[in-house]
Amino acid sequence: MCSAREHHPAFKASFAERARNTSHPLANYLLRLMDLKKSNLCLSADVTSARELVTLADRMGPSIVVLKTHHDLVAGWDFHPQTGTGAKLGVLARKHGFLIFEDRKFGDIGSTVQLQYTAGSARIIDWAHIVNVNMVPGKAAVSALHESAKRWRSRVNYEVKTSVSVGTPTSDSFDENGEESDEGPFSNSSLAPRDRPSSSGFRPDYNGRKGSIVSITTLTQSFEPVDSPRFSGTINEGDELLYAGIEEPPWDRGLLILAQMSSEGNFMTKEYTDACVEAAREHKDFVMGFISQESLNSQPDDSFISMTPGCQLPPDGEGEEDGEVEGDGLGQQYNTPAKLVGLCGSDIIIVGRGILKAASPPVEAERYRRKAWKAYLQRTGQEI
Ligand code: 5BU
């Protein structure tokens, strides 16, 4: 089911060693976190209410290194940048030591994916450390997301204070070129992502022509450095803790390229997968790895992380490690952590229903964590 990659140095290297050879700031952080927490488990938090999601993240946080979300299937997602669901997950991520991965699978032209990443109600880039891209539209989606992440990174540790005054419009208030930022045509491109004004007194239309003028709003901004995005919402005071033994994650965002899928009969050919690897090498300081069914490191200096969905264990006690696991009847196929991590060289297993549907999800998460970690130790020849 997977082509062996054991000849690549990363296959046998410990996560700590790989961290030392990885220049990507977030990949470096994640590998060190895995080593510290003895976990290579990502929980796919596919629950349908924001309340359940936040509770789940808090309960499962101790076992995982990545929390994977699909924000668009969550009812009641609160979009407030400082107190909303993304910010709450951020607090829990710092408390338990995990990264947030929004499994958004961007798959459109460059300009659209930039807007989907940085704008809209969700402003995914503000709260998700990691996102992924479906590269079917071509490599431009990767470079466009990279560009957005760089722009966001250069502004993010400045909080913007805005003061708003309303006055008479003047003709030179308009951008005659109709230039748009990656946050969208109606946004003020000079503002940091976390504190844009919600409305302005005029709106150029999409062609850059002057819109109708109601009044003109003048914004005065001052930029104040901040160390980290602090949550100021309703989570208990005591929850604002930091996971011990490692610093907070860097501001640098990471991208995973969707190189192979777990679903039966998917159309991701070898040619497509190879093109994903090529794109990753072209954007090494942004692409941290792949969603794939095996390690895709092949050139000597490749140090990409492979994260793998389609993972389940047979029930406790029934040939736990080597047993076959049936698919879900809707196209999903499953393999065990032993196979994915031990044989195929995957680094992180992504598990949803295998954990979520268990009688005790935290106990089951620990069982998955132990199995996936054992497979990693065996692969890298470390003592169990
Ligand atoms: P499961 O309950 O463990 O089957 O959930 C798997 C999750 O991983 C789910 O959120 C999928 O959307 C996601 N997934 C996947 O299953 N297979 C893939 O190839 C990719 C994502 Br990409």
Side-chain angles (χ1 to χ4, degrees):
M1 59 151 287
C2 55
S3 35
R5 301 275 178 182
E6 66 262 25
H7 301 304
H8 191 275
F11 190 90
K12 294 261 177 217
S14 69
F15 293 139
E17 278 169 68
R18 297 219 350 235
R20 286 192 286 277
N21 294 325
T22 303
S23 56
H24 190 300
L26 196 63
N28 169 289
Y29 179 87
L30 178 56
L31 289 163
R32 286 186 294 117
L33 183 66
M34 290 156 76
D35 182 56
L36 175 71
K37 248 182 136 171
K38 302 206 179 326
S39 172
N40 51 345
L41 175 63
C42 165
L43 175 71
S44 184
D46 299 329
V47 290
T48 53
S49 84
R51 188 186 292 250
E52 265 180 288
L53 175 61
V54 171
T55 307
L56 185 70
D58 202 14
R59 287 178 77 205
M60 314 297 271
S63 301
I64 63 175
V65 283
V66 179
L67 180 85
K68 185 174 86 63
T69 55
H70 281 293
H71 88 276
D72 54 358
L73 57 78
V74 176
W77 184 281
D78 178 346
F79 293 108
H80 192 285
Q82 271 92 35
T83 59
T85 308
K88 282 182 182 153
L89 292 179
V91 170
L92 296 171
R94 286 192 290 277
K95 172 181 163 189
H96 294 296
F98 62 79
L99 297 180
I100 303 166
F101 162 29
E102 166 64 15
D103 187 4
R104 175 62 182 77
K105 299 184 183 71
F106 296 113
D108 211 316
I109 59 165
S111 159
T112 302
V113 297
Q114 285 187 332
L115 295 172
Q116 290 170 325
Y117 188 24
T118 62
S121 319
R123 290 198 209 159
I124 293 169
I125 197 168
D126 282 0
W127 51 269
H129 303 99
I130 303 170
V131 290
N132 56 355
V133 65
N134 180 338
M135 229 189 61
V136 166
K139 285 180 181 174
V142 176
S143 34
L145 292 167
H146 191 178
E147 202 180 284
S148 284
K150 276 197 258 188
R151 203 170 311 171
W152 181 87
R153 174 68 183 86
S154 69
R155 294 188 208 139
V156 71
N157 35 3
Y158 289 91
E159 198 115 40
V160 183
K161 299 268 175 219
T162 50
S163 63
V164 181
S165 66
V166 179
T168 317
T170 56
S171 59
D172 58 358
S173 308
F174 295 95
D175 177 359
E176 292 289 352
N177 301 321
E179 259 206 8
E180 295 169 10
S181 75
D182 62 352
E183 284 88 38
F186 300 146
S187 71
N188 185 323
S189 62
S190 64
L191 293 186
R194 69 191 48 249
D195 203 12
R196 293 185 200 86
S198 54
S199 63
S200 62
F202 62 91
R203 291 187 151 197
D205 70 16
Y206 269 92
N207 300 319
R209 292 183 308 244
K210 292 175 188 178
S212 58
I213 302 165
V214 183
S215 68
I216 190 93
T217 304
T218 309
L219 294 163
T220 316
Q221 300 136 28
S222 62
F223 292 81
E224 292 184 4
V226 288
D227 291 333
S228 70
R230 287 286 163 214
F231 172 74
S232 49
T234 50
I235 279 189
N236 299 331
E237 281 269 299
D239 281 344
E240 185 56 305
L241 299 170
L242 284 185
Y243 188 72
I246 194 161
E247 73 283 5
E248 285 192 59
W251 284 108
D252 306 78
R253 293 324 200 192
L255 182 72
L256 298 168
I257 302 183
L258 187 48
Q260 294 170 329
M261 287 198 75
S262 58
S263 47
E264 200 180 342
N266 70 76
F267 299 109
M268 295 188 169
T269 60
K270 182 170 181 318
E271 193 188 12
Y272 166 82
T273 304
D274 290 346
C276 293
V277 177
E278 205 179 279
R281 289 182 186 133
E282 288 164 13
H283 295 273
K284 274 187 182 162
D285 51 342
F286 182 46
V287 178
M288 57 198 291
F290 305 100
I291 298 291
S292 57
Q293 295 294 305
E294 60 188 335
S295 164
L296 297 177
N297 290 320
S298 61
Q299 286 186 359
D301 58 346
D302 285 346
S303 59
F304 299 111
I305 295 173
S306 279
M307 295 184 47
T308 306
C311 181
Q312 274 195 9
L313 279 166
D316 212 352
E318 292 175 30
E320 278 192 328
E321 267 147 56
D322 308 312
E324 293 290 315
V325 186
E326 273 185 22
D328 69 353
L330 293 171
Q332 178 68 302
Q333 308 176 107
Y334 291 111
N335 287 290
T336 59
K339 204 183 258 182
L340 294 171
V341 176
L343 294 180
C344 301
S346 166
D347 297 308
I348 296 180
I349 54 160
I350 300 177
V351 184
R353 287 163 290 176
I355 292 174
L356 300 175
K357 289 194 183 299
S360 168
V363 170
E364 194 65 349
E366 269 301 293
R367 187 165 81 99
Y368 275 86
R369 186 196 63 75
R370 279 196 312 273
K371 297 291 179 199
W373 193 253
K374 184 177 162 197
Y376 152 72
L377 291 178
Q378 277 173 338
R379 180 180 97 198
T380 52
Q382 300 181 64
E383 264 183 41
I384 297 171

